[in-house]
Amino acid sequence: MRVPQAGRKDGETMSNEQYILQSVDNALAIIDLLAKHEELSAAEVARLMEIGKTTAFRLLTTLENRKFLNKTDSNRYRLGVKLSSLGAIVLGRMDIIKLAHPYLINLTQLCEETTHLVIWDNDTMVQFIDKVSSPSSIRMESMVGLRRRAHMTATGKAMLAFQPQQFIDNYIKNVSFSPKTPYSIVTAQQLLENLEGVRRNGYACDADESELGLTCYAAPLFGVGDRVEAAISASGPTERMKSKKDFLIPLLQKTAQNIAAEMK
């Protein structure tokens, strides 16, 4: 039962924005800003956030004191290592990582390629939250925490393909199709056709689309209610991946099915 708030008539609601502390919101906005810029001065932060220079300096100093930011010798600010350690704690507590990691280890042992677990970060971006590196000296170099546009990765396409049509339509409206290579998806129609292939075949592929010489195959994880909130992948040099395709695809799909069965 909802308890009416003091000073309000029953039936009135209070916007969440009325609970927001502006100083805290600004401090967190600075962290978001520095995630997009390698480093910024206090004056640049003030200009980009449209706040006073004194306010910006005080916020930056507070975040530096708490080790969320580092100050360079040239009086510019960068994200601090503390954020990385907090991110590692969050990822370590995610049940899906604990559940899927042994499967990634087994998958890498069998295919000898780098494997990943990827989830949605927001409505357009996916995030790599776990990996097991290939034993080969020539392999895909990646890092946990990496964020990419969904259509630029095999895992992203494996998840995007099984979202409601309205989600896909909104995705197309909110992203730009800037090519990374000559093989990148550059139009909405190309993406829609690609996603139809993912639904038909049960796997997704990034063949030299995000980086020349790199190919990735991915399979979706169907969770509770057959929702696709994650995907797994195997990635490596294009020629090597092509030679293993007939072996890799069924292996990926079977591994994804086994992980999904434990998720339900």
Side-chain angles (χ1 to χ4, degrees):
M1 182 180 71
R2 182 176 62 83
V3 178
Q5 297 169 11
R8 288 178 170 270
K9 296 179 181 179
D10 191 23
E12 291 183 344
T13 60
M14 179 178 282
S15 167
N16 284 341
E17 291 188 3
Q18 292 180 266
Y19 292 107
I20 292 174
L21 290 173
Q22 192 62 52
S23 59
V24 176
D25 192 56
N26 283 340
L28 295 174
I30 287 175
I31 292 175
D32 283 337
L33 191 62
L34 282 166
K36 299 175 183 177
H37 301 269
E38 184 174 351
E39 59 179 43
L40 292 169
S41 67
E44 288 170 332
V45 169
R47 176 176 58 81
L48 291 168
M49 292 186 57
E50 299 182 351
I51 59 177
K53 291 182 180 179
T54 300
T55 299
F57 178 75
R58 292 177 66 184
L59 289 167
L60 288 163
T61 301
T62 301
L63 289 168
E64 181 195 5
N65 184 61
R66 299 288 297 186
K67 308 301 183 186
F68 289 104
L69 300 182
N70 290 331
K71 189 176 182 181
T72 70
D73 293 337
S74 56
N75 292 323
R76 297 174 70 79
Y77 294 86
R78 294 170 172 255
L79 294 179
V81 177
K82 184 174 184 178
L83 290 169
S84 176
S85 63
L86 289 175
I89 291 170
V90 172
L91 294 177
R93 290 175 178 172
M94 293 180 67
D95 289 341
I96 190 173
I97 295 177
K98 295 177 183 178
L99 187 155
H101 190 72
Y103 289 97
L104 293 188
I105 292 174
N106 184 62
L107 185 57
T108 293
Q109 289 174 341
L110 292 172
C111 72
E112 298 186 326
E113 301 295 348
T114 298
T115 56
H116 296 96
L117 173 66
V118 179
I119 62 172
W120 285 106
D121 181 67
N122 56 40
D123 288 349
T124 61
M125 305 287 286
V126 297
Q127 184 173 40
F128 291 67
I129 62 171
D130 195 19
K131 67 174 279 190
V132 176
S133 295
S134 165
S136 174
S137 59
I138 302 175
R139 63 193 181 198
M140 177 185 179
E141 293 298 335
S142 61
M143 59 184 233
V144 172
L146 178 69
R147 298 167 69 246
R148 289 277 179 86
R149 293 290 182 198
H151 74 276
M152 297 176 65
T153 70
T155 46
K157 289 188 286 185
M159 293 189 288
L160 185 59
F162 296 96
Q163 302 305 312
Q165 188 59 46
Q166 184 177 357
F167 185 103
I168 296 173
D169 292 341
N170 288 336
Y171 178 90
I172 289 171
K173 291 177 184 177
N174 289 303
V175 298
S176 61
F177 293 95
S178 302
K180 293 290 185 181
T181 77
Y183 305 99
S184 297
I185 291 173
V186 293
T187 68
Q189 186 58 38
Q190 273 186 293
L191 177 59
L192 291 171
E193 291 173 0
N194 193 292
L195 297 181
E196 178 57 36
V198 174
R199 288 188 288 269
R200 182 173 60 251
N201 300 320
Y203 74 92
C205 177
D206 165 9
D208 298 301
E209 295 170 37
S210 58
E211 184 178 336
L212 286 175
L214 176 68
T215 288
C216 176
Y217 301 121
L221 300 181
F222 291 91
V224 177
D226 284 336
R227 292 176 303 186
V228 176
E229 303 292 345
I232 59 170
S233 67
S235 307
T238 294
E239 290 306 314
R240 202 165 72 200
M241 293 295 289
K242 284 182 178 179
S243 70
K244 296 180 180 181
K245 181 178 179 180
D246 290 343
F247 164 72
L248 267 173
I249 300 304
L251 180 61
L252 267 170
Q253 292 174 321
K254 181 61 176 176
T255 303
Q257 289 168 8
N258 290 340
I259 296 171
E262 286 204 41
M263 289 169 56
K264 294 181 178 180

